[in-house]
């Protein structure tokens, strides 16, 4: 074998050896890989990303004890007490029902609207839930009117009109109102409301006698707007 041929053979052998060594080194480096994981946090503590509570609750039982607060997201919901007189209305009678709403404990501040006013479907329509009586009745409503003034003799000037006088029962609220968030996770300060319902003095339809009705109102709230 010539010297040049021998050198070429050695070179090929070294190159081959180098390729083998190179592949082996790559596998060795992969075995030394180190991983680092991270997760999402919120601030310097142990909190993680999430959402706050955005909810309100109602109190329809004057004088509004703490135990009387409830959450009523479904129809028919909480029962407004228009007093016993509401069960035997005569033309010209007006009955009143005070109640409160507030932001629940831990909730953000809310903007509230009287967003729906309808006749209930439960119970079924008929004398126990008369559409004719629903159409005949009128109401008005205030925000910020204390329970003590939610009466025929009460001073209504402190309240803001939510529904104007002589409105049909399906009338929505004129303007939204605010519910403040509570401090340190507590419930927010309650907002007083007052509904007044009237059978107009000019009502002459004798077919309305002996009828009952279930009017419904839905308050809805939003936040972040």
């Amino acid at each position: 074998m010539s010297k040049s041929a021998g050198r070429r053979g050695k070179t090929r052998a070294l190159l081959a050896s180098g390729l083998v060594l190179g592949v082996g080194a790559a596998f060795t480096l992969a075995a030394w890989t180190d991983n680092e994981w991270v997760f999402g946090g919120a601030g310097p503590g142990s909190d993680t990303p999430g959402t706050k509570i955005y909810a309100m609750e109602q109190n329809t039982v004057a004088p509004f004890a703490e135990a009387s607060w409830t959450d009523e997201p479904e129809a028919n919901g909480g029962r407004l007490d228009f007093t016993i007189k509401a069960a035997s209305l005569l033309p010209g009678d007006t009955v009143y029902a005070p109640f409160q709403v507030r932001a629940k404990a831990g909730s953000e501040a809310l903007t509230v609207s009287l967003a729906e006013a309808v006749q209930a479907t439960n119970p079924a329509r008929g004398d126990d839930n008369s559409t004719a009586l629903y159409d005949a009745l009128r109401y008005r409503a205030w925000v910020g009117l204390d329970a003590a003034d939610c009466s025929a003799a009460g001073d209504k000037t402190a309240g803001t009109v939510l529904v104007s006088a002589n409105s049909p029962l399906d009338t929505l609220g004129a303007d939204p109102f605010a519910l403040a968030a509570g401090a340190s996770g507590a419930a927010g300060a309650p907002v007083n409301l007052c509904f007044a319902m009237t059978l107009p003095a000019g009502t002459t339809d004798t077919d309305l006698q002996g009828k009952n009705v279930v009017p419904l109102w839905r308050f809805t709230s939003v936040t972040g707007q």
Side-chain angles (χ1 to χ4, degrees):
M1 180 184 296
S2 67
K3 291 183 179 180
S4 61
R7 284 196 295 272
R8 285 196 297 272
K10 289 179 180 179
T11 300
R12 284 195 295 270
L14 288 172
L15 287 172
S17 175
L19 288 171
V20 172
L21 287 172
V23 172
F27 277 112
T28 302
L29 290 174
W32 293 345
T33 297
D34 181 34
N35 298 308
E36 297 290 339
W37 288 83
V38 294
F39 74 96
S46 59
D47 289 341
T48 52
T51 57
K52 294 279 287 182
I53 296 171
Y54 311 107
M56 58 182 172
E57 57 190 354
Q58 61 176 285
N59 196 337
T60 60
V61 185
F64 308 128
E66 186 65 26
S68 301
W69 286 96
T70 62
D71 188 4
E72 305 287 351
E74 304 293 337
N76 292 345
R79 178 180 178 273
L80 294 182
D81 187 1
F82 281 99
T83 73
I84 191 67
K85 185 178 180 181
S88 55
L89 292 171
L90 296 173
D93 284 345
T94 298
V95 288
Y96 296 82
F99 62 108
Q100 294 181 328
V101 293
R102 71 181 181 184
K104 293 181 71 172
S107 174
E108 295 286 275
L110 302 169
T111 300
V112 181
S113 299
L114 175 51
E116 190 172 7
V118 296
Q119 183 184 359
T121 57
N122 180 25
R125 306 294 171 86
D127 286 355
D128 289 336
N129 192 6
S130 166
T131 299
L133 183 56
Y134 181 86
D135 291 341
L137 290 168
R138 296 292 182 264
Y139 89 116
R140 65 187 304 190
W142 299 264
V143 177
L145 190 64
D146 291 343
D149 288 321
C150 189
S151 65
D155 180 6
K156 313 299 190 304
T157 59
T160 299
V161 174
L162 180 64
V163 177
S164 60
N166 200 39
S167 294
L169 292 184
D170 61 358
T171 303
L172 305 184
D175 296 299
F177 58 93
L179 295 181
S184 303
V191 171
N192 292 301
L193 295 112
C194 176
F195 277 13
M197 189 164 55
T198 301
L199 182 60
T203 301
T204 58
D205 186 356
T206 57
D207 288 341
L208 297 178
Q209 296 180 32
K211 304 293 194 297
N212 294 85
V213 69
V214 184
L216 293 179
W217 295 276
R218 176 175 61 86
F219 288 88
T220 189
S221 61
V222 296
T223 188
Q225 294 186 349

